[in-house]
Amino acid sequence: MLQRVQPRVENPRYGQLIIGPPGSGKTTYCNEAYKFYKELGRQVGVVNLDPGNDNMSYQPVVNVMELITVEDCMEHMQLGPNGALMHCAEYLEQHFEDWLLPALRKLSATHNYFLFDCPGQVELYTHHTAMARVFERLERERYNLVTVNLIDSHYCSEPAKFIATLLMALNTMMRMSLPHVNVLSKADLLRKHESKLHFNVDYYTDVLDLKYLLEKLDDDPTMRKHQKLNEAICSMVEDYALVSFKLLDAFSTDSMLRLRNHIDKANGYVYKAGEEQTVNSLLACAVGAETEAMRQQRDIEPYTNQQ
Ligand SMILES: Nc1nc2c(ncn2[C@@H]2O[C@H](COP(=O)(O)OP(=O)(O)OP(=O)(O)O)[C@@H](O)[C@H]2O)c(=O)[nH]1
């Protein structure tokens, strides 16, 4: 987890950039997180930045679909869905000053914590630059941002998919250059599928020695011919030592609380005075009252059948 060193700013604003592949649970998380943070007393609002979001179950405070939609783009510019989404991201970047910023500024009296529901196409974060530039400009406007990258925990069940996930997560972290929390979503389903996992859940969350994963890949005859490439990818992920995951069941308050603790440290909210913050939680953060091993055990226990 990359985290922020917080400078003192008057009326700081905070944001979670919720990204992740299609179907990873972004919109569900935004909906559940909105209710959860509202309960905690935060001045929270959801900003929809996905121009193709047709299943919003929340009421967004700002909605990019009022500026541009993927559907309109496809129709008027004769673009396919991916091309249209890229165009929408560029259009949003062009209209940052005259549309996004004024819309957010209008909320300054009532909101200081934003959940940005972002589009799911992975190439927007691994190759294209428009979304990264939108985030960079928000940072310059003194929004304390953290990227929350949701990845379906189902990917743990296949070594090849998990290695691809690691590479994608690392690439996104490097390109976004922001505090970052990688999350394995739908962790409640891990318990059900535990028999399909080759290793304990902490192997996947902590991204432990990847040579064991490579051995499992070599068991698959179709993968053997890519052995050197897979070795190179794993060795690069290990060398950077940046990727690890938190677990999330979006429908569990305990799970949301655990994730909130990590996110608050990453974007610096933990240092904000007042609200639900207690002296104890600040002290725990400052002196590391909980050991890393205790924290890991507490985070993983709800999602595993092993005691
Ligand atoms: N069991 C379980 N299901 C979840 C969880 N989070 C999301 N889901 C389900 O996963 C499916 C996809 O969730 P969405 O929130 O639509 O995913 P998304 O990333 O917004 O999808 P796109 O808009 O296509 O990019 C839905 O059926 C959700 O109910 C979770 O924590 N646990």
Side-chain angles (χ1 to χ4, degrees), residues 69-178:
T69 69
V70 168
E71 212 178 344
D72 285 350
C73 246
M74 285 171 70
E75 193 184 320
H76 297 298
M77 305 188 74
Q78 270 87 53
L79 290 169
N82 278 338
L85 194 63
M86 302 253 173
H87 177 80
C88 289
E90 286 162 14
Y91 195 80
L92 173 64
E93 189 199 346
Q94 284 158 20
H95 291 276
F96 181 86
E97 283 306 328
D98 61 28
W99 184 81
L100 183 59
L101 214 47
L104 288 170
R105 278 193 185 132
K106 270 193 207 146
L107 300 163
S108 60
T110 49
H111 294 76
N112 64 7
Y113 199 102
F114 297 95
L115 302 165
F116 294 89
D117 191 358
C118 298
Q121 261 69 2
V122 171
E123 55 271 36
L124 282 176
Y125 314 101
T126 55
H127 294 81
H128 203 244
T129 51
M131 290 307 286
R133 281 202 293 259
V134 168
F135 300 159
E136 196 187 309
R137 289 171 81 171
L138 279 171
E139 275 265 304
R140 269 192 257 138
E141 293 296 321
R142 303 193 173 238
Y143 284 81
N144 297 297
L145 301 176
V146 53
T147 311
V148 179
N149 188 12
L150 298 186
I151 292 152
D152 197 319
S153 53
H154 162 75
Y155 290 148
C156 298
S157 59
E158 280 184 48
K161 281 189 186 166
F162 190 68
I163 289 178
T165 297
L166 292 174
L167 187 60
M168 187 266 287
L170 178 62
N171 190 354
T172 306
M173 290 174 88
M174 307 288 284
R175 288 184 72 94
M176 292 293 119
S177 301
L178 284 168

Side-chain angles (χ1 to χ4, degrees), residues 15 175 237 270-271 273 291 298:
R175 288 184 72 94
V237 171
V270 74
Y271 302 111
T291 67
R298 190 172 45 83

Side-chain angles (χ1 to χ4, degrees), residues 21-28 55 186 188-189 248-251:
S24 56
K26 297 179 293 298
T27 299
T28 306
N55 69 341
K186 310 180 198 178
D188 49 309
L189 302 179
L248 172 70
D249 166 6
F251 302 110

